[in-house]
Amino acid sequence: MAVAAAAMIGFPQAYLEGKEVKETSSLVTELCRHFYTQGWVSGTGGSITMKVHDASIPKPEQLIVMSPSGVQKERMQPEDMYILSANGSIISTPSPKPYPNKPPKCTDCAPLFMKNRRLSLGKRLRKLGYKAYEMRNAGAVIHSHGMESCLVTMLNPQAKEFRITHMEMIKGIQGHGYYDELVVPIIENTAYENELTDSLTKAIEAYPKATAVLVRNHGVYIWGDSWIHAKTQAECYHYLFDAAIKLHQLGLDAATPDHGPIQRTMHSHNQISTKLSVKSGVKDSQNETEWPRRCIVLDIEGTTTPITFVTDVLFPYARENVGKHLNLTYDTAETQEDIKLLRAQVEEDLRQGVTGAVPIPHADEGKEKVIAAVVSNVEAMIRADRKITALKELQGHIWRTGFECNELKSVVFEDVADALEKWHSSGIKVYIYSSGSRLAQKLLFGNTDYGDLRKYLSGFFDTTIGNKKESKSYKEITETLGMDDPSEILFVTDVYQEATAAKAAGLEAIISIRPGNAPLPENHGFKTVTSFSQI
């Protein structure tokens, strides 16, 4: 059977018995033994699946080695592994061992690893791999039954997400830094793992930044672009789950920057009160208690920071240093990605007839020509004050150099630092939503005359979540923050159109009146403040 299956998909039997497959099978065996000592795959639970790395074969076409289900993970041998094609067809099955060993079976996790095509191994078998292997370019997927991954989903039985911030080990998770909020979706368990396919697929689609999905009362699925990356992230996730559990036992909140006391809201028939430092709400004219505000989302330019700092300091610095930055960093992956984003944006601009857009040549036409074209486009984009991701990413990288060299120091209004500290100490989570990149936002609040203000901030949003003048962006923020009632979020901005979009999404909106801000329309209908002390 294995010979026929292997030949059918283009892999001769000799390849299945070759060095690459044997080494991968041995590695899965070694990792299963190691994970057993960690308590992740005890009781025959859990699983590992891994691509057979072969530089001569494109990654999407590489074979997959999968540990079997229902067997002692710490006693497995390389010959006990299943070998699957890239689309999930079984091409090599391990031989059964004598009693009392159970016969091997392809893990019920298979649907959660593999790809949705034809009906081999049941159509469920491959449904998720399209996400984990192709959409996420995964090289390995780990399914753990570790105690901490199970218990952390029980801390709040209604929670649809696990959240933690300001922990060093967050840096080990792809795309995250110390100041970021790590969000892991939680899905509900089912009697059989292969029935999780649909909900796990939806979770991966809804959380494009996630590299893990928790299953309540069950465990966690974690993936990475290689086995090393998947293993590293698995170790970091389990550490963070354990830290959150221990913080919770101490009555501390893992999801706030200072990990202060958990704010517990109690409900009664005619009263809402909150323990600890959060105020219980305010009375309106009919003596009805209002919900306390849970989150505040702040704009930057014209709200926390003078417009002149952006237009007269940051923009000129980026414009004057873009050529220097590109020359010094041209060969780095980061700059090449910046150029790729800008090239795609410029191609769209040229189709739309945008003034100032000039074609950016490809790398084979020479570094100098590429840089010259990028500089020309960036200068035109800055002059037009365009709020586009491609420009903002490059600007953030240029400003990072400026802050690191002490050539830049950010400015915030004098009431901002006190307000952030007050809100934070009251248990209100504060987020930033700006057209500037997340990196630029962190640089700005990390380098102010009032010190590093990032300790008061729970997260950052930029235009990758959507245009600030579109209501769907604020709906996406509401979903990301895990808020059932968008009215519990206050958005503060200086831009009328942004306030209107936020209000349309159900958020409360206030307009900031600061020196240099644009005039508002008459009868705009929004509450205004000239200082955060008025909020």
Side-chain angles (χ1 to χ4, degrees), residues 2 19 30 50 75 86 137 145 161 202 212 253 256 268 293 322 346 352 367 393 422 448 457 465 486 488 514 524:
K19 174 185 174 183
E30 178 186 343
M50 186 185 304
R75 295 177 59 84
N137 198 31
H145 285 191
E161 298 168 331
K202 290 176 182 177
D253 190 352
T256 58
S268 63
R293 201 171 281 130
V322 60
V346 168
Q352 299 294 329
K367 171 181 174 179
E393 288 292 320
K422 180 186 72 173
T448 78
L457 301 173
I465 205 163
E488 294 180 12
R514 302 285 196 177
H524 54 76

Side-chain angles (χ1 to χ4, degrees), residues 184-218:
V184 182
I186 301 174
I187 62 174
E188 300 303 319
N189 195 26
T190 58
Y192 301 98
E193 284 181 295
N194 59 19
E195 295 174 354
L196 293 171
T197 304
D198 290 342
S199 58
L200 193 53
T201 300
K202 290 176 182 177
I204 289 179
E205 290 173 341
Y207 293 82
K209 194 178 179 182
T211 54
V213 174
L214 283 158
V215 184
R216 198 181 312 280
N217 306 343
H218 180 145

Side-chain angles (χ1 to χ4, degrees), residues 315-328 330 335 338-339 342-343 346 356-361 367-384 391 394-395 398:
F315 284 178
Y317 185 89
R319 184 171 58 246
E320 293 164 8
N321 287 275
V322 60
K324 174 183 174 182
H325 172 81
L326 292 172
N327 272 296
L328 290 174
Y330 185 79
T335 293
D338 287 342
I339 294 173
L342 281 163
R343 183 180 288 112
V346 168
V358 297
I360 299 177
K367 171 181 174 179
E368 291 75 14
K369 290 184 178 180
V370 172
I371 291 176
V374 170
V375 170
S376 177
N377 281 287
V378 167
E379 290 177 345
M381 290 173 178
I382 292 175
R383 283 195 302 271
L391 172 64
L394 177 59
Q395 284 179 323
I398 297 171

